[in-house]
Amino acid sequence: MTDPTTTTPDRRPGGRTARVRAQVLDAVCAELAENGHEGLTMEGVATRAGVHRTTVYRRWRDVGGLLVDVIDAAGEIDWQPPDTGSLRGDLTALNQQIQESLVVQPSLAVALMAASFHSEQAARAQTRLWADRYAQCEILVERAVERGELPAQRTDARSLLIAATAPLYHQLVLLRADPDPHLPERAAETAVLAAAAGAFSVRRRREESM
Amino acid sequence: MTDPTTTTPDRRPGGRTARVRAQVLDAVCAELAENGHEGLTMEGVATRAGVHRTTVYRRWRDVGGLLVDVIDAAGEIDWQPPDTGSLRGDLTALNQQIQESLVVQPSLAVALMAASFHSEQAARAQTRLWADRYAQCEILVERAVERGELPAQRTDARSLLIAATAPLYHQLVLLRADPDPHLPERAAETAVLAAAAGAFSVRRRREESM
DNA sequence: GGCCTAGAGCGACAACTGTCGCGTTAAGAT
DNA sequence: ATCTTAACGCGACAGTTGTCGCTCTAGGCC
């Protein structure tokens, strides 16, 4: 029945344990969505998951531990960057996805960001997730270069992506401005114009001091 | 001694009351700086301020109330946007100020941002402060137009400012990247290039759908 | 100087949070 | 089927947080 090559002398990750983990993580998301990151409490999660407080404390230690697990789980669902046929279209679509995730009520994304200030571990998990996503998105820039939309001169993909997406996060998360339906497109377009003007060309990296 | 025209029938804002307030607000900043937003507790503030717990609870209600007061106090110190003689220089200088405020350890700015997720009131106070600062900065753009650096065609100053500054906040606050000494200048330059390419011209506001 | 009272101090209290030791359940291996 | 023990359930516990009623101090006014 079990694979004889894999000896499991110690850990016991299946059955009840796995079920408890699933219940608890579901409960965390539900609580986050319902009460925001503020209302996320060990007690509440345990109760909603139908599990004893002590269990949650033992396995996840604190709220930060719960969030790490949730964030890591979010990183495991596979996500593909948009592919619309043009850089501007791709960035706009990407920004629209971002805007939606930040604007939807309740926003798990915002709750995770807010909550990741609570715990160093959660912050690191969050950082890892974002690094992955931005790395995945670099293909947008590569495709644009192949299509000839950007000069063959290599472009700093990451900077371009940050420039395109940062205004959304800034407006919606930090400045808490009302969502602007045109913002995704305008931010994307701004980045494309800047790229066309050579703002992200790698050659610029060599200091041309002010 | 007291001004006879100002009748103070109810409130009693002077003397001990004012002293207590000053002690408490100082204590909040000290605690924020020392233990981060995480270690900010009513108890700790009261103790450090040499004041009884109940007093803090009564006057500020909760941590959010304390932060509102601190943020509002920060808004009262008068701040002037840089004036270097060129748009690129101004934005670079602005970004350098931002980067420094975010990177310095401990960063009161980061602590306030993180903490403003705790309380709706603190978040609003924070939003007000930022709105003020960005409004003040619009003069950078006006001066650039007067100098002929930007087309006379009106430019959306706020969008330009956001585009120039957002990458800093995004990298340092949300992505938690290591500070890049060139980032302030590069982000400023990117915004200037985009502006020169017409990315923020008001005419664009009329929808040219994708 | 003396009076009035806003606001601070104080201690007691209930509610909540996190920890611990021990008994029970069921996953995994034979 | 049976055994071993990882992981969960449980109740008890100390420490912390926020509230309340009361007393006392000192600011503002005469």
Side-chain angles (χ1 to χ4, degrees):
Chain A
M1 185 72 81
T2 58
D3 179 4
T5 63
T6 346
T7 50
T8 27
D10 261 333
R11 298 285 135 191
R12 188 180 291 184
R16 180 171 61 166
T17 300
R19 195 167 57 247
V20 166
R21 174 163 184 263
Q23 288 169 4
V24 169
L25 293 190
D26 281 356
V28 171
C29 290
E31 289 280 312
L32 270 181
E34 197 165 297
N35 310 326
H37 68 284
E38 197 59 15
L40 188 67
T41 166
M42 298 292 268
E43 175 82 40
V45 169
T47 305
R48 182 187 283 258
V51 159
H52 201 268
R53 271 212 328 278
T54 340
T55 301
V56 182
Y57 279 111
R58 264 194 293 249
R59 295 234 340 222
W60 289 274
R61 184 174 174 86
D62 57 17
V63 181
L66 286 171
L67 291 166
V68 170
D69 217 346
V70 170
I71 294 170
D72 284 347
E76 282 159 16
I77 70 166
D78 65 10
W79 171 86
Q80 292 295 336
D83 185 359
T84 65
S86 76
L87 180 60
R88 179 178 159 179
D90 286 353
L91 292 177
T92 300
L94 177 62
N95 274 353
Q96 276 163 348
Q97 284 183 25
I98 293 173
Q99 171 138 301
E100 191 187 332
S101 78
L102 296 178
V103 161
V104 72
Q105 289 293 354
S107 165
L108 188 65
V110 171
L112 285 179
M113 273 181 265
S116 74
F117 283 108
H118 286 359
S119 119
E120 192 53 39
Q121 291 180 60
R124 273 198 296 271
Q126 181 95 330
T127 299
R128 279 198 304 273
L129 175 57
W130 253 321
D132 277 2
R133 288 289 163 88
Y134 275 106
Q136 279 184 278
C137 285
E138 292 190 4
I139 196 172
L140 301 191
V141 179
E142 292 168 20
R143 287 197 303 239
V145 171
E146 285 170 15
R147 281 189 299 254
E149 295 183 62
L150 293 176
Q153 183 69 278
R154 279 207 57 71
T155 297
D156 182 347
R158 187 181 160 87
S159 293
L160 194 163
L161 292 168
I162 301 266
T165 57
L168 282 173
Y169 289 105
H170 199 229
Q171 290 272 22
L172 297 174
V173 180
L174 295 183
L175 302 187
R176 290 181 179 77
D178 292 327
D180 171 355
H182 297 309
L183 183 56
E185 187 184 356
R186 290 205 292 139
E189 195 181 332
T190 298
V192 171
L193 287 174
F200 310 110
S201 82
V202 175
R203 171 173 292 177
R204 289 204 159 269
R205 284 274 186 154
R206 305 193 311 174
E207 26 240 279
E208 352 166 329
S209 64
M210 171 172 147
Chain B
M1 187 65 85
T2 59
D3 180 3
T5 63
T6 347
T7 51
T8 27
D10 261 333
R11 298 284 135 192
R12 187 180 290 184
R16 181 171 58 164
T17 302
R19 195 167 56 248
V20 166
R21 175 163 184 263
Q23 287 169 5
V24 169
L25 292 191
D26 282 355
V28 171
C29 291
E31 288 280 311
L32 270 182
E34 197 165 296
N35 311 327
H37 68 283
E38 197 58 17
L40 187 67
T41 164
M42 297 294 267
E43 176 83 39
V45 169
T47 305
R48 181 187 284 256
V51 159
H52 201 270
R53 271 213 330 275
T54 359
T55 300
V56 182
Y57 278 112
R58 265 194 293 251
R59 295 230 344 219
W60 288 274
R61 184 173 173 86
D62 55 17
V63 181
L66 286 170
L67 291 166
V68 170
D69 218 346
V70 170
I71 294 169
D72 284 346
E76 282 159 15
I77 69 166
D78 64 10
W79 172 86
Q80 293 295 336
D83 186 358
T84 65
S86 75
L87 179 60
R88 178 179 160 178
D90 286 352
L91 292 176
T92 301
L94 177 62
N95 274 352
Q96 277 164 346
Q97 284 183 25
I98 292 174
Q99 171 139 302
E100 190 187 333
S101 77
L102 296 178
V103 161
V104 72
Q105 288 293 354
S107 166
L108 189 64
V110 171
L112 285 180
M113 272 182 266
S116 74
F117 283 107
H118 285 357
S119 116
E120 193 53 40
Q121 291 180 59
R124 273 197 297 271
Q126 180 96 330
T127 300
R128 277 199 304 273
L129 175 57
W130 253 321
D132 277 2
R133 289 289 164 88
Y134 275 106
Q136 279 183 278
C137 286
E138 293 190 1
I139 196 171
L140 301 191
V141 179
E142 292 168 20
R143 286 197 303 240
V145 171
E146 285 171 15
R147 281 190 300 254
E149 294 184 63
L150 292 177
Q153 184 67 277
R154 280 205 58 69
T155 297
D156 182 348
R158 187 180 160 86
S159 293
L160 194 163
L161 291 167
I162 301 265
T165 58
L168 280 174
Y169 289 105
H170 199 227
Q171 289 272 22
L172 297 174
V173 180
L174 296 183
L175 301 187
R176 290 180 180 78
D178 292 328
D180 171 358
H182 297 309
L183 182 56
E185 187 184 356
R186 290 205 292 139
E189 196 181 330
T190 299
V192 171
L193 286 174
F200 309 110
S201 81
V202 176
R203 172 173 292 175
R204 288 204 161 269
R205 284 272 187 153
R206 306 192 309 173
E207 25 241 277
E208 353 166 332
S209 63
M210 167 177 149

